[in-house]
Amino acid sequence: MATTDKGIKKISLPVEGMTCAACVGHVENALMDVPGMLEASVNLGTEKALVEFDSSEVPFQVIQDAVFGAGYKLGTQTASLNIGGMTCSACVSHIENALRGVPGVAQADVNLGVERATVEFVPGIAELADLQKAVEESGYRVECFNDSGDQERELERLSKVKEIRELRNRLIFAGTGAILLFLGTFDAFPWVSSFMGQGFYPFLLWALATPVQFWAGSNFYSSGLGALRHGTSNMHTLIALGTAVAYVYSAVVVLLDAFSPGVLADNGIEAKVYFDTAAIIIALILLGRFLEAGARGRTSEAIRRLIGLRPTSARVVRGGEEIDILVDQVVIGDTVLVRPGEKLPVDGLVTDGYSAVDESMLTGESMPVEKVPGQKVYGATMNSNGALYFEATQVGGETVLAQIIRMVEEAQGSKAPIQRLADQVASYFVPAVIIASLAAFAFWMLLGPAPVLTFSILVLVSVLIIAC
């Protein structure tokens, strides 16, 4: 997190749920509508929003509500803190209230039995040091962070491992269901007509289509319809509306055909279902999302390699003792010890020792640079031979490597004027498609061939889905 004068803050926030340029425009517009927001730039590749705002006017909750109102959410990470000094359930309540009062904390739960607090927070708004300070100010102590580290989480997030795995599972399920529904409903297959004559068969198709619709396609509904509730729309809205129309129409036809077939006959509606259409659409869209997630994971390779350079732990001298801590717990002024063959955890100023440091990751120079007391050293560089003691002068997001990573992310997120114009056009695309589909539906309801309702619904679904 970078802070400038007069309460102006510039931070990078993870945003989840974005899939296209229109999503970028929605998030940027929602953030810029917040009073006190000076600048907002969203990077689809890294799924981060770089915002600059007046902290005296913009509480964290307002930013979170703005992103949520656009149909997305701020990404969170979880940290586990080992707490000392708790004795009863009242202590648990005190610590939970203290942690939940930290701006950026979404959830905090304390387990008295294992003396541990699990905190879910938004990185960029809240940091581990903020959590530690809140616990200590409430009268307790943080003995250590039982945490896997920001680096591993950030590498996993950028590589899309979890997202790709989830999409793969949903794709396999949806694809299998879509193939079975297609084989069971396509009239060209000789067995379909005989199966359709069985009273139970349409219900079997319905049962097969339901988990594809509401589990494999659940992301489309949660994102697309959620955006509609907040007065906006995205590409998921089109998918959700298109598949929902086909699914609901088919379900109504199944029920009417089973319990009141005269209604269908009197209105000239065919007893034909389109469960396969909805399932195939979901499977194809998931295939596209799966391939897109893999491609986006590869585009962040440069940032992942830079993050991979950072060490995860540091050896500091406190109270005359050498202790190993997470690199995030190093504070300015700590004396850090680096032995031969180890990476420097943070930037600092050499106070004791003599060595040569390989700074090729910064300068490209292959020859190690000699370091003596009074000279600067940089995090993620490699200590070659002697031991060095140095005073930490820049930690966390202020180290040279962190600034390089931030500049690469900002460069990836920067936009040419034509791209900004394209984002503005994309923000109007989804509403325009919805209006066009409704207009097409109304037109064919008035002038379409029989069966009018079935034909008009197919046109409506076609317009919605083709636009995706």
Side-chain angles (χ1 to χ4, degrees), residues 89-412:
S89 57
C91 301
V92 171
S93 178
H94 292 156
I95 296 174
E96 286 182 343
N97 291 336
L99 290 170
R100 290 169 183 167
V102 176
V105 171
Q107 183 63 33
D109 298 295
V110 177
N111 187 324
L112 179 61
V114 296
E115 296 185 311
R116 182 176 299 159
T118 302
V119 187
E120 183 181 357
F121 63 97
V122 178
I125 295 288
E127 303 295 345
L128 294 178
D130 300 323
L131 306 181
Q132 181 174 358
K133 181 179 178 181
V135 172
E136 292 175 349
E137 287 182 348
S138 64
Y140 305 89
R141 64 182 184 275
V142 176
E143 296 180 340
C144 71
F145 290 85
N146 184 22
D147 187 48
S148 60
D150 293 340
Q151 178 170 325
E152 286 76 9
R153 277 191 300 271
E154 184 71 356
L155 288 172
E156 181 179 355
R157 186 184 69 81
L158 288 173
S159 63
K160 309 292 181 187
V161 172
K162 183 178 180 181
E163 180 182 350
I164 291 173
R165 182 168 58 245
E166 181 180 351
L167 284 170
R168 181 196 61 201
N169 294 338
R170 292 177 184 268
L171 173 60
I172 292 173
F173 185 86
T176 302
I179 292 172
L180 292 175
L181 286 167
F182 176 73
L183 293 175
T185 57
F186 191 52
D187 293 333
F189 296 124
W191 57 81
V192 171
S193 58
S194 59
F195 281 146
M196 282 296 184
Q198 305 294 325
F200 70 89
Y201 190 65
F203 287 95
L204 180 62
L205 296 176
W206 187 4
L208 181 60
T210 299
V212 175
Q213 190 78 19
F214 297 108
W215 181 75
S218 60
N219 288 342
F220 305 138
Y221 287 94
S222 60
S223 174
L225 300 184
L228 281 181
R229 287 198 300 270
H230 293 93
T232 184
S233 57
N234 53 34
M235 297 301 289
H236 286 173
T237 305
L238 299 181
I239 301 167
L241 290 176
T243 56
V245 168
Y247 176 85
V248 172
Y249 172 82
S250 301
V252 171
V253 167
V254 169
L255 292 174
L256 290 177
D257 187 49
F259 301 107
S260 185
V263 174
L264 298 179
D266 294 341
N267 290 276
I269 300 175
E270 289 183 303
K272 189 173 182 179
V273 295
Y274 297 95
F275 291 124
D276 58 324
T277 301
I280 290 172
I281 290 169
I282 289 174
L284 290 176
I285 298 295
L286 284 174
L287 174 61
R289 294 288 184 265
F290 175 75
L291 296 175
E292 179 187 13
R296 284 164 57 194
R298 289 189 292 273
T299 61
S300 61
E301 179 67 22
I303 295 176
R304 293 210 308 275
R305 289 188 177 184
L306 286 172
I307 292 175
L309 295 173
R310 298 188 302 195
T312 58
S313 62
R315 184 176 295 107
V316 300
V317 180
R318 291 178 179 174
E321 295 183 0
E322 297 177 5
I323 57 174
D324 290 331
I325 61 175
L326 291 175
V327 70
D328 291 331
Q329 295 177 264
V330 178
V331 297
I332 294 176
D334 270 343
T335 297
V336 183
L337 168 62
V338 183
R339 296 192 176 111
E342 295 180 340
K343 284 186 177 181
L344 281 70
V346 295
D347 297 359
L349 199 65
V350 177
T351 57
D352 190 19
Y354 172 85
S355 183
V357 177
D358 181 359
E359 296 182 344
S360 58
M361 53 80 62
L362 287 177
T363 65
E365 173 57 57
S366 59
M367 292 295 293
V369 180
E370 293 184 352
K371 297 293 180 180
V372 296
Q375 290 189 314
K376 286 278 294 183
V377 289
Y378 303 98
T381 55
M382 180 69 72
N383 184 26
S384 299
N385 39 45
L388 284 177
Y389 288 89
F390 68 92
E391 179 185 348
T393 57
Q394 290 175 298
V395 299
E398 301 304 319
T399 63
V400 171
L401 178 62
Q403 293 177 44
I404 292 174
I405 294 172
R406 186 160 56 246
M407 285 190 291
V408 172
E409 290 180 344
E410 291 177 5
Q412 285 190 349

Side-chain angles (χ1 to χ4, degrees), residues 78-94:
T78 302
S80 183
L81 292 69
N82 290 347
I83 308 294
M86 294 190 297
T87 59
C88 61
S89 57
C91 301
V92 171
S93 178
H94 292 156

Side-chain angles (χ1 to χ4, degrees), residues 442-456:
F443 176 83
W444 289 110
M445 281 294 292
L446 294 174
L447 303 174
V452 175
L453 180 60
T454 302
F455 186 84
S456 300

